[in-house]
Structure formats: structure tokens, C-alpha cells
Amino acid sequence: MSRHLEVGERIVRTEALPGGITADMRRLTIGTRDGGTRDLVLRTFVNMEHAEDSLNREAGALTLCTGTGVPAPGLVAVDSTAAHCEYPSLLMTHLAGRTVLDDEGLETRVPLLARQLVAIHALRPAERPREYVALTTPDAVVTPRGADAAAWAAAIDVIRRPAPPYEGRLLHRDFQPGNVLFDVPPPRLAGARITGVVDWAATCWGPADLDVAHCSTNLALLHGPAWGLRFAEAYEEAGGVLAATAGERLYWQVRDGLACSEGVQLVSRPWREAGRAELTTRAVEERLDAYVTALMDALA
């Protein structure tokens, strides 16, 4: 770690950052030679099978974002094989801002999220990252207790079909409110702006619809199904291009919603820790059921 600091700098404080599911995140406060401080963030993968691949992809994405309109952290160093660190790790600059998961001000933030995702999809890497990997299969879907069985059966049938053809884009692959930082002027949320997009470890190549679908699912679970349905419209209003037909769009939307069924408890825990105590596992399951049902109703 010390080899990546300036001469005369030292770590004066460390702080665990909340919200990480697959990695440990720590903010490192660095004492500078002039008596001031600056912050870095250390991302560490512990007991993760594909840590090397994920960290290399994140390093590549952070490098790609440098100098663009996408506010990602700056890459300081990466040790994807734990050659110098105890665990595979990545060191990056710290971005100002905070995640905002409250319902208040959502009508302002959704268009900002959509415009930011359009900007990400406009990035053109010199070398394509690996192709996306589907996160669920029809047989792995977990239908929530008390769910609309007919709607879920129909949704599962949707993802039994081959994936529609698509024009590939660089995908963040986990673009959602928990990975976007905002500068929110108190006390109201008017005038909010995005200050950072974080967690690029799942970066890949695939259809824009897949990123849109993932953010839509998260919005539906955080704020209600109507907001999940709204995000695709906001993305198009921001200049984004989705699949040509309703059936093709539904495939990606349903695929992401069903993938979430396997990890509702894991997804909802950081939200409760961030102050959304009402988002119990059961409450999120009910919202997921309502969202999947709404998707299928929209097609009908």
C-alpha cells in the first residue's frame, strides 16, 4: 500500500464503508506532507472465487472512464492476484457524494440515472470486455410465497426462449441506486446531481436492455413496481436505444427480475442497513411479485 503513496504521506485513519455485498470496502484517510488529508478507497475481495477477473475488469473500466463524462473513481493500483496484499484488492480515489435510497425526490433522480446510463453505454473500449453471463436459469427461479403462480410460470417461459439478437454495448452490469453517488443539497432534493458511479467489477459486453432492466428491478423493489416500469421510458427519453420490439424488451426485463428472486434476502439487507427498515425480505418479495406480474400484464 505504502508504495502507492506520495513521499511523506501516511495512512492516518481507516473506516469501513457500508453497503458492500461481495467485497469489503474501506476509506483510507491519507495524511499529506503539507498537513492536510486526502481519501482513497480500498476494495478487497475475501473468499471470492473469481476475484482476479472481477478486479481486472474493474481496473479496465475505471481506466476507460478517465477523462470522459462518466464520474467513476480513478484507478490508483490493482493487485488482482494478492501478490502484495493479503487478499485481491483494488485501490482507487474517493468520490464525494452519497447513495440516496429514499422515496423523496425520486422523480428528479430517475431522469439523472437514465442520462448517466446512456453516457456509460456510449463508451467505446479499445478492447471489448467479456460477454455478459446470464444470472439465472428457468429451473433456478424461486417463486415467492403467495405469488401470482400463473404470472410467474409465464415469466419463466419467457426466459426459456433464446436470447433476442442485440447490438452490444459496454455494460456496467450492476447499475442501480446503491452504486450511484449524489450531491443532494439540503433540505430538499431539487438540484441533485450525480457525483459518481461505483462498483465496476461486473463490467461486460451485452445489450443496453440488460443494464436498463437491472436498474428497473432495483427501482421496483426500492420504490414500487411503477418506478421499475418508468425507468425504461426515462432511458429512451434520455436518448438511449432499447430493443426494437416489446417482446424483446420483456425478455431482458423478466430475466433480470427473475434473477433477483434467488437473492432477495441478500439484496435487501444493505437497504435496511442504510435506513430502509421497512424493506424486510418479505416486503421486497411482495414487490418483486408485483413487478413481475406488472411486466407480464403490460405484455398482455
Side-chain angles (χ1 to χ4, degrees), residues 38-125:
R38 65 187 182 102
D39 290 333
L40 299 174
V41 173
L42 181 66
R43 178 179 177 87
T44 301
F45 283 102
V46 180
N47 298 325
M48 182 174 172
E49 183 180 356
H50 302 293
E52 180 179 358
D53 175 61
S54 294
L55 288 177
N56 286 337
R57 279 193 281 161
E58 180 155 33
L62 298 187
T63 301
L64 175 64
C65 290
T66 301
T68 71
V70 177
L75 177 67
V76 177
V78 61
D79 181 9
S80 60
T81 61
H84 306 286
C85 302
E86 184 176 4
Y87 299 104
S89 302
L90 184 144
L91 187 65
M92 64 192 118
T93 58
H94 176 266
L95 298 176
R98 61 182 178 89
T99 57
V100 183
L101 305 181
D102 299 330
D103 291 335
E104 184 182 9
L106 190 59
E107 66 282 355
T108 298
R109 297 196 307 276
V110 163
L112 296 178
L113 289 169
R115 287 199 290 272
Q116 188 61 78
L117 189 54
V118 170
I120 290 172
H121 292 162
L123 295 174
R124 294 293 179 264

Side-chain angles (χ1 to χ4, degrees), residues 138 141 148-161 250-251 254-255 257-258 292-293 295-296:
V141 173
D148 185 325
W152 277 73
I156 292 170
D157 282 342
V158 168
I159 67 168
R160 292 188 192 279
R161 307 169 194 162
L250 179 74
Y251 176 90
V254 167
R255 175 164 284 288
L258 296 185
V292 170
T293 300
L295 289 174
M296 299 311 296

Side-chain angles (χ1 to χ4, degrees), residues 168 179 252:
N179 284 331
W252 302 111

Side-chain angles (χ1 to χ4, degrees), residues 7-297:
V7 175
E9 290 188 331
R10 69 192 191 283
I11 301 173
V12 298
R13 186 170 60 253
T14 65
E15 175 191 357
L17 297 177
I21 294 178
T22 60
D24 292 337
M25 306 289 293
R26 293 181 179 85
R27 179 163 59 189
L28 310 180
T29 300
I30 311 300
T32 59
R33 287 182 296 176
D34 61 4
T37 61
R38 65 187 182 102
D39 290 333
L40 299 174
V41 173
L42 181 66
R43 178 179 177 87
T44 301
F45 283 102
V46 180
N47 298 325
M48 182 174 172
E49 183 180 356
H50 302 293
E52 180 179 358
D53 175 61
S54 294
L55 288 177
N56 286 337
R57 279 193 281 161
E58 180 155 33
L62 298 187
T63 301
L64 175 64
C65 290
T66 301
T68 71
V70 177
L75 177 67
V76 177
V78 61
D79 181 9
S80 60
T81 61
H84 306 286
C85 302
E86 184 176 4
Y87 299 104
S89 302
L90 184 144
L91 187 65
M92 64 192 118
T93 58
H94 176 266
L95 298 176
R98 61 182 178 89
T99 57
V100 183
L101 305 181
D102 299 330
D103 291 335
E104 184 182 9
L106 190 59
E107 66 282 355
T108 298
R109 297 196 307 276
V110 163
L112 296 178
L113 289 169
R115 287 199 290 272
Q116 188 61 78
L117 189 54
V118 170
I120 290 172
H121 292 162
L123 295 174
R124 294 293 179 264
E127 183 177 344
R128 287 187 184 182
R130 74 171 192 181
E131 201 79 7
Y132 81 93
V133 175
L135 300 180
T136 193
T137 65
D139 295 333
V141 173
V142 178
T143 302
R145 174 169 48 92
D148 185 325
W152 277 73
I156 292 170
D157 282 342
V158 168
I159 67 168
R160 292 188 192 279
R161 307 169 194 162
Y166 60 85
E167 181 180 352
R169 291 283 185 273
L170 179 83
L171 304 184
H172 181 283
R173 199 62 172 101
D174 194 15
F175 184 86
Q176 42 94 1
N179 284 331
V180 178
L181 305 177
F182 284 89
D183 174 20
V184 183
R188 305 297 297 176
L189 295 180
R193 65 184 181 91
I194 291 176
T195 59
V197 180
V198 299
D199 195 355
W200 294 79
T203 302
C204 59
W205 191 260
D209 287 78
L210 198 52
D211 262 356
V212 172
H214 188 64
C215 192
S216 296
T217 300
N218 278 267
L219 288 170
L221 302 188
L222 274 167
H223 307 294
W227 286 105
L229 298 174
R230 167 76 182 110
F231 187 68
E233 298 175 0
Y235 179 82
E236 290 188 296
E237 290 166 1
V241 178
L242 295 174
T245 71
E248 290 172 339
R249 298 181 189 195
L250 179 74
Y251 176 90
W252 302 111
Q253 290 172 312
V254 167
R255 175 164 284 288
D256 191 86
L258 296 185
C260 189
S261 73
E262 301 171 49
V264 171
Q265 184 173 7
L266 192 64
V267 168
S268 59
R269 176 178 52 80
W271 295 344
R272 291 193 297 275
E273 293 173 351
R276 296 294 303 274
E278 78 281 12
L279 294 180
T280 63
T281 299
R282 182 58 186 153
V284 175
E285 284 179 339
E286 290 173 348
R287 284 190 172 181
L288 179 60
D289 175 36
Y291 177 58
V292 170
T293 300
L295 289 174
M296 299 311 296
D297 287 345

